[in-house]
C-alpha cells in the first residue's frame, strides 16, 4: 500500500478538507464575487454562472422605457411596482456619458456600471438611473439620476430647491430662483450608511441592497453633490432633472476613510485636514460640474460625453 493510499484511509479530516476545497471551488466558479470576476473575467462566460445570467442576481427584468433606455425613477417615494424596476447587467460599463430621457447624462471620470433602473410614478412619468463606480472592487461613487419623460404638474415644484437651504450642507449655490421660469441649485452634503443604505427612498435602498448582495464593499460615509433643476414647459407643466453623486472619501483600494467618522460633519470637518481637503475639492469640482450637468440634461454635450478635464472628481480612480 502506497503512502498516499494509507493517508487517504487514515486521515478522514484530510479527506473532508479535500472534498470541501472542490465544493467551494465550484461555488466560486458559479457565484463569483466582483473582485474574483475582476481577476478572472473568463468566469463570467461559464454556462450556469450567475455572472453569465446577471438578471438572476436580484430584481425583475428591466422595464421598457421611452427611447428604449429601460430607465426610470421616483422623486416622491411612491410605491414601486415589480414590473417597472429592473436590475441591468452590472458588468456593462460606460464612460463619458449615456443617453437619458432624450438627453445626455454626463458621467464623472472612471468606468460606471448600471445598478438599478425603473420607470415609476403616475403613468411612468419619472425616470431614474442608479450607477456605481468601483476601484479595485471598492465602491468609489454612486450616481442617482432622475428626470421626467413628460411635463409634470407645476404644483409642489417650488420646493425642489428646499434641500439647498439646509443648514447642514457644507455649501450651497442657487443658480436660478425662478428667473425665466427656471429653478436651479446645487449643494454639497454628507450621507452616512445606515442599515446598509443612505436613503429611505425605496429605489435607492434596493440599489444598495443589490451592491451588498453582489459583494461590493461600500464605504460608511459619502460626500454628496446634488444638482436639481426645474423649468416651465410650453404646455404649462414642468420638466425636472436631478443628479446626486455620492463620492467615497477613502484611501485608494480600501474602505478606510481619509479621516475618522466624527470629522465628516459640517461643524467638525475643519479639525481634520484630510477631510477638509476632500470637501473643499468636491466643492471646487461641483462648481464646474454643475454646468456640465445642465448642458447634458438640457441642451446637449459635444459627442455626447463629458469634458475630460472637468469630469475628474476627488474620488475618481487614479491611474
Amino acid at each position: 500500500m502506497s503512502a498516499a493510499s494509507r493517508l487517504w484511509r487514515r486521515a478522514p479530516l484530510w479527506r473532508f478538507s479535500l472534498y470541501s476545497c472542490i465544493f467551494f471551488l465550484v461555488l466560486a466558479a458559479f457565484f463569483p464575487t466582483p473582485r474574483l470576476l475582476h481577476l478572472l473575467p473568463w468566469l463570467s462566460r461559464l454556462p450556469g454562472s450567475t455572472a453569465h445570467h446577471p438578471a438572476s442576481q436580484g430584481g425583475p427584468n428591466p422595464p421598457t422605457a421611452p427611447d428604449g433606455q429601460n430607465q426610470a425613477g421616483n422623486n416622491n417615494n411612491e410605491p414601486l411596482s415589480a414590473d417597472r424596476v429592473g436590475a441591468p447587467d452590472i458588468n456593462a460599463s460606460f464612460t463619458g456619458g449615456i443617453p437619458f430621457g432624450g438627453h445626455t447624462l454626463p458621467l464623472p471620470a472612471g468606468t460606471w456600471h448600471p445598478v438599478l433602473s425603473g420607470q415609476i410614478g403616475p403613468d411612468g412619468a419619472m425616470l431614474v438611473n442608479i450607477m456605481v463606480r468601483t476601484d479595485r472592487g471598492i465602491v468609489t461613487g454612486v450616481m442617482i439620476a432622475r428626470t421626467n419623460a413628460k411635463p409634470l404638474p407645476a404644483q409642489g415644484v417650488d420646493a425642489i430647491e428646499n434641500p439647498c437651504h439646509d443648514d447642514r450642507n457644507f455649501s450651497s449655490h442657487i443658480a436660478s430662483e425662478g428667473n425665466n421660469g427656471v429653478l436651479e441649485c446645487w449643494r454639497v452634503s454628507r450621507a452616512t450608511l445606515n442599515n446598509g443604505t443612505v436613503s429611505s427612498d425605496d429605489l435607492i435602498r434596493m440599489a444598495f441592497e443589490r451592491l451588498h448582495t453582489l459583494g461590493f464593499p461600500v464605504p460608511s460615509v459619502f460626500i454628496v453633490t446634488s444638482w436639481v433643476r426645474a423649468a416651465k414647459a410650453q404646455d404649462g407643466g414642468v420638466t425636472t432633472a436631478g443628479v446626486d453623486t455620492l463620492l467615497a472619501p477613502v484611501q485608494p483600494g480600501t474602505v478606510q476613510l481619509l479621516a475618522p467618522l466624527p470629522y465628516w460633519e459640517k461643524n467638525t470637518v475643519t479639525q481634520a485636514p484630510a477631510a477638509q481637503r476632500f470637501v473643499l475639492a468636491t466643492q471646487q469640482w461641483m462648481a464646474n460640474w454643475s454646468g456640465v450637468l445642465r448642458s447634458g440634461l438640457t441642451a446637449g454635450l459635444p459627442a455626447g460625453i463629458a469634458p475630460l478635464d472637468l469630469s475628474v472628481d476627488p474620488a475618481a480612480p487614479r491611474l
Side-chain angles (χ1 to χ4, degrees), residues 38-89:
H38 178 73
L39 296 174
L40 303 172
W42 54 267
L43 286 175
S44 63
R45 297 191 293 271
L46 287 177
S49 169
T50 56
H52 189 70
H53 301 286
S56 67
Q57 294 177 353
N61 293 329
T64 300
D67 303 326
Q69 293 174 39
N70 292 333
Q71 299 167 338
N74 176 15
N75 273 337
N76 303 310
N77 292 331
E78 296 176 2
L80 302 176
S81 57
D83 60 343
R84 291 184 175 183
V85 178
D89 181 359

Side-chain angles (χ1 to χ4, degrees), residues 191-238:
T192 303
L193 204 65
N194 185 20
N195 293 326
T197 186
V198 296
S199 173
S200 59
D201 180 278
D202 286 335
L203 201 58
I204 297 175
R205 176 182 53 78
M206 291 168 62
F208 272 81
E209 285 179 356
R210 188 177 189 214
L211 291 175
H212 291 303
T213 300
L214 294 177
F216 286 96
V218 180
S220 58
V221 169
F222 290 95
I223 299 302
V224 184
T225 67
S226 301
W227 172 84
V228 292
R229 188 179 192 272
K232 289 184 179 179
Q234 293 181 351
D235 63 358
V238 175

Side-chain angles (χ1 to χ4, degrees), residues 62-259:
T64 300
D67 303 326
Q69 293 174 39
N70 292 333
Q71 299 167 338
N74 176 15
N75 273 337
N76 303 310
N77 292 331
E78 296 176 2
L80 302 176
S81 57
D83 60 343
R84 291 184 175 183
V85 178
D89 181 359
I90 204 165
N91 294 311
S93 58
F94 303 94
T95 58
I98 59 172
F100 184 58
H103 297 286
T104 298
L105 173 62
L107 299 177
T111 302
W112 292 81
H113 309 276
V115 181
L116 279 186
S117 61
Q119 186 167 353
I120 57 179
D123 300 322
M126 294 302 300
L127 311 177
V128 71
N129 197 354
I130 302 180
M131 307 186 74
V132 67
R133 180 183 64 190
T134 62
D135 179 22
R136 283 162 277 186
I138 306 296
V139 171
T140 62
V142 177
M143 176 178 283
I144 304 158
R146 303 169 300 277
T147 190
N148 50 299
K150 57 184 179 181
L152 300 174
Q155 293 85 352
V157 174
D158 289 342
I160 193 173
E161 65 173 358
N162 283 352
C164 288
H165 298 285
D166 193 323
D167 291 338
R168 293 168 296 181
N169 295 335
F170 291 114
S171 63
S172 300
H173 177 75
I174 308 299
S176 178
E177 201 164 17
N179 301 330
N180 299 319
V182 175
L183 292 171
E184 182 182 340
C185 71
W186 60 265
R187 64 190 178 113
V188 177
S189 58
R190 183 194 74 156
T192 303
L193 204 65
N194 185 20
N195 293 326
T197 186
V198 296
S199 173
S200 59
D201 180 278
D202 286 335
L203 201 58
I204 297 175
R205 176 182 53 78
M206 291 168 62
F208 272 81
E209 285 179 356
R210 188 177 189 214
L211 291 175
H212 291 303
T213 300
L214 294 177
F216 286 96
V218 180
S220 58
V221 169
F222 290 95
I223 299 302
V224 184
T225 67
S226 301
W227 172 84
V228 292
R229 188 179 192 272
K232 289 184 179 179
Q234 293 181 351
D235 63 358
V238 175
T239 60
T240 66
V243 179
D244 296 330
T245 307
L246 286 62
L247 305 178
V250 295
Q251 300 287 352
T254 74
V255 291
Q256 180 181 346
L257 297 175
L258 296 173

Side-chain angles (χ1 to χ4, degrees), residues 22-38:
I22 297 173
F23 173 73
F24 287 114
L25 283 173
V26 172
L27 280 182
F30 284 93
F31 302 94
T33 64
R35 181 65 173 170
L36 189 58
L37 278 175
H38 178 73

